[in-house]
Amino acid sequence: MINVIVELSKYIILTLMIVYTFHCFYTVRQPDEEERNELLRQQLILIFFIDFTAFLVIYLKTFDYKVVRFYIEMQIFFAVIQILYRVLYKKASLLLLNNMCMLLSVGFIMLCRLDITMATKQLLVAAGASAVALAIPVMIRKMRFLRKLTWIYAGIGIILLAAVFLLARTSYGAKLTLLGVQPSEAIKITFVFFMASFLSRDTSLKAVVQVSAVAAFHVGILVLSRDLGSAVIFFVAYLVMVYVSTRNVGYLGLGLVGGSGAAVVAYHLFGHVRQRVSAWKDPMAVYQNEGYQIVQSLFAIGTGGWFGMGLCQGSPEKIPVVKNDFIFSAICEELGGIFAICLISVEISCFVLFVNIALKMKRRFYKLTALGLAVEYIFQVFLTIGGVTKFIPSTGVTLPLISYGGSSVMNITGIYLEDAKSNVPDRLVDFARLGQLIRIEGEGFNGLKKVYINGYNCYFNPVFVSNKSFLVSVNS
C-alpha cells in the first residue's frame, strides 16, 4: 500500500507543480486585482498540498516522527512569513513571496528526505535570514546614508576576501569558508552596493576605470582562492551594471574579451580549473577521479526520466555533496525532469520579477542595486544547473533558496527590495502637474535646473528659497 501511495504521489506533486508554474506567469498578465489576489491564494494552497503530499511520503517511508515535527515547524515558518509580509509591506510583490516559499519548500523536502538534521538547521538559517530581510526595507528607508558608503563597501569586500584567502582551509580544491561562514555570499551584496553607489553618481571613463579596478581586486582574490563560481558571478554582475549605467556597448565588448582572456589564463595557471574542464569534456574518462561527481549526477538525472522515481525511491546519496552543489540532480532523480523544468521556470519567474522591480524604481542607486542582485541570482542558478547537467564545467556554487547552507538563503534579502523602492526621484518629494507650484526638499540643489516628473524632463524657476527647500514653478 505504501508503494502505491509513493507511486501516485509523484504524479500528484508533478501536477500541482505544473499548475503552480502556470500561475507564476499567468498572474503577471492578469490586470484585474481581485482575480490576481485569487490566483495568489491558489498558489498558497498548491504549496500546502505539495508539502503535505511530500512529507506524508517521507514519513511513510521512514516512520520518523522528526519528519512530522519538522513539517509542522516549516508550516509555522511559512505562515509567519506570509502574515508579517502582508502586515508590514502591503505594496510588496506577493507573487515573489510565494515563489520564495515554493523554492524553500522544494529545498526542505529534499533535505528532509536526505538528512533531517540538516533540514532542521536549514530551517533555522532560513528563519534568521527572513528576519534580517524583513528589516532591510526599513533600514534602506531610514538610513539614507547607505548609498554614500561607497568605499566602505569596497573595503569590507576586499578585506574579507583577503582574510579567506590567507586564513581559510582548502575544501574541495577551493578556499571558501572562514569560521564556518562563506563570506563571499555576503560580499556579493556589498559588491553590488559599491557598484550601485559609485555608478549612480558618476559614469565617466574615470569612474568606470575606478570601479573596474575594485572589481578586479574582488575577482582576483576569488580566483586565487579558487572560488571560481563566485568569481564568475562577481564579474558578470560588474559587466551588466557597468553596461546598464553607461549604455556603452564598448565597455561590454571589452569586458567580454577581457573575461575570455582571463578564463584562458586561469586554465593554464590552475590545475583545479583544468580538472573541472577535463571532467566536463569527458567525465567517463576520469570517472575514478574528478569525473565521479558529474557522472553520478548524470546517472541520477537519467534514472529519474520525465516523471522521477518518487520520493525516497532513488539513490541521491551516491552523489557527492548532493545537499549542496548537486541537489538539482537529486530533484531530477526523485521528482522527475518535468518537475525540474517547472522549477527552472519558477526561478526564471523570480528573475523577471526582480527586473520588473528594478525598472519601477526611480532612484538610480536602488535601481542598480536591484538589477545587480537579480543578475547575481539568475547567473548563480545558471552556473549550478549548468554544472550538474554537464552544460558547462562545474563551478561549485549552490542553488539559491534550495541547496543546504546559509549562502543559498542569502538571496532572500533581494526578495524584499520591492517594498524598499521609492517612486519618488532623488530630489523630488511631491509630484505636481506641469505649470503648478511644487515643493522640493532635500540637500544639494545649488545649480539644479532640471527635474524628472511623470516621464517629462522639466525645467523650473525658483520662486521661494528657504533652508533645504525650494518652492518652484515647473514648465516643460
Side-chain angles (χ1 to χ4, degrees):
M1 184 62 183
I2 292 177
N3 289 334
V4 174
I5 294 174
V6 172
E7 185 67 20
L8 289 175
S9 69
K10 68 181 185 181
Y11 296 106
I12 295 172
I13 292 173
L14 178 58
T15 302
L16 294 172
M17 186 63 174
I18 291 172
V19 176
Y20 180 90
T21 306
F22 174 77
H23 276 50
C24 283
F25 296 93
Y26 182 70
T27 303
V28 176
R29 297 172 58 90
Q30 183 55 246
D32 183 70
E33 185 174 355
E34 290 187 7
E35 181 66 22
R36 188 164 58 249
N37 290 334
E38 178 58 30
L39 290 171
L40 292 170
R41 283 191 290 270
Q42 291 177 14
Q43 280 190 321
L44 292 177
I45 295 172
L46 291 169
I47 295 173
F48 173 82
F49 280 109
I50 288 174
D51 289 343
F52 178 81
T53 305
F55 279 92
L56 175 63
V57 170
I58 295 173
Y59 174 73
L60 291 176
K61 294 295 290 185
T62 62
F63 288 103
D64 187 350
Y65 284 100
K66 291 181 181 178
V67 173
V68 177
R69 186 179 65 186
F70 178 84
Y71 171 74
I72 295 172
E73 292 171 348
M74 182 190 71
Q75 291 299 324
I76 293 173
F77 165 69
F78 286 145
V80 170
I81 288 298
Q82 289 283 344
I83 293 170
L84 288 177
Y85 202 89
R86 284 167 167 77
V87 170
L88 298 178
Y89 305 115
K90 300 183 186 301
K91 296 181 180 180
S93 174
L94 295 181
L95 176 57
L96 201 51
L97 177 65
N98 288 350
N99 285 349
M100 180 192 79
C101 292
M102 169 57 80
L103 295 174
L104 285 172
S105 289
V106 174
F108 289 145
I109 289 168
M110 294 309 303
L111 289 174
C112 188
R113 178 261 180 270
L114 293 167
D115 189 335
I116 185 66
T117 302
M118 284 191 168
T120 303
K121 291 180 181 178
Q122 183 74 347
L123 180 59
L124 292 174
V125 172
S130 298
V132 172
L134 280 168
I136 285 179
V138 177
M139 292 172 59
I140 292 177
R141 191 182 303 120
K142 300 294 184 182
M143 303 167 66
R144 297 192 177 185
F145 61 87
L146 289 175
R147 55 181 168 173
K148 300 178 181 179
L149 306 179
T150 308
W151 292 107
I152 293 178
Y153 298 135
I156 290 172
I158 292 173
I159 290 171
L160 286 178
L161 289 178
V164 173
F165 173 66
L166 295 173
L167 303 176
R169 294 181 179 180
T170 301
S171 176
Y172 294 102
K175 294 183 177 182
L176 302 175
T177 60
L178 190 64
L179 301 176
V181 179
Q182 191 169 345
S184 63
E185 295 300 327
I187 299 168
K188 285 176 185 175
I189 298 175
T190 61
F191 178 73
V192 168
F193 272 47
F194 162 75
M195 294 287 296
S197 177
F198 208 115
L199 295 174
S200 63
R201 298 196 309 266
D202 187 4
T203 56
S204 64
L205 176 60
K206 180 180 179 181
V208 172
V209 171
Q210 288 179 305
V211 297
S212 299
V214 174
F217 270 109
H218 281 78
V219 174
I221 297 173
L222 287 168
V223 170
L224 292 175
S225 301
R226 298 181 182 180
D227 188 359
L228 304 180
S230 294
V232 175
I233 292 171
F234 276 63
F235 175 73
V236 172
Y238 151 78
L239 204 58
V240 172
M241 292 180 73
V242 168
Y243 171 68
V244 170
S245 60
T246 63
R247 300 181 183 178
N248 189 326
V249 181
Y251 293 145
L252 184 62
L254 284 174
L256 291 174
V257 172
S260 301
V264 174
V265 172
Y267 175 81
H268 290 286
L269 285 181
F270 301 109
H272 181 63
V273 177
R274 290 194 294 273
Q275 288 180 350
R276 294 288 179 96
V277 174
S278 174
W280 168 66
K281 290 170 63 177
D282 188 2
M284 290 301 297
V286 287
Y287 172 72
Q288 297 297 331
N289 299 301
E290 58 264 26
Y292 182 77
Q293 267 185 325
I294 188 65
V295 169
Q296 291 297 327
S297 172
L298 295 175
F299 282 161
I301 295 171
T303 302
W306 288 112
F307 301 101
M309 299 289 291
L311 280 171
C312 303
Q313 297 294 97
S315 302
E317 60 276 355
K318 293 183 179 179
I319 307 172
V321 292
V322 66
K323 306 176 194 71
N324 303 87
D325 303 356
F326 284 80
I327 197 167
F328 185 78
S329 305
I331 293 170
C332 291
E333 181 178 12
E334 299 207 330
L335 298 177
I338 297 176
F339 185 95
I341 292 172
C342 291
L343 188 67
I344 294 172
S345 299
V346 175
E347 301 266 17
I348 293 173
S349 172
C350 287
F351 173 69
V352 171
L353 291 170
F354 274 126
V355 173
N356 186 48
I357 289 168
L359 292 175
K360 289 180 179 179
M361 293 181 178
K362 302 298 182 184
R363 293 184 177 178
R364 190 174 176 82
F365 170 72
Y366 297 131
K367 183 187 290 287
L368 288 173
T369 299
L371 179 66
L373 292 175
V375 171
E376 288 186 341
Y377 168 80
I378 197 63
F379 203 74
Q380 183 166 336
V381 171
F382 169 74
L383 290 179
T384 306
I385 296 177
V388 303
T389 57
K390 196 180 167 292
F391 183 74
I392 59 173
S394 176
T395 55
V397 295
T398 57
L399 192 58
L401 297 171
I402 297 177
S403 296
Y404 171 74
S407 59
S408 66
V409 298
M410 282 298 294
N411 293 275
I412 293 176
T413 57
I415 303 291
Y416 296 87
L417 277 171
E418 166 70 7
D419 196 75
K421 76 179 187 294
S422 172
N423 288 320
V424 183
D426 282 336
R427 298 180 178 181
L428 192 62
V429 173
D430 299 315
F431 283 127
R433 295 179 181 177
L434 297 181
Q436 289 185 338
L437 295 180
I438 64 169
R439 179 178 299 278
I440 300 178
E441 297 178 346
E443 296 180 273
F445 296 103
N446 293 333
L448 183 63
K449 299 296 183 184
K450 187 167 70 173
V451 291
Y452 188 78
I453 302 178
N454 295 343
Y456 296 92
N457 285 324
C458 305
Y459 296 86
F460 69 85
N461 299 309
V463 176
F464 174 75
V465 182
S466 64
N467 185 28
K468 298 182 181 180
S469 177
F470 275 54
L471 187 62
V472 300
S473 175
V474 177
N475 297 289
S476 62

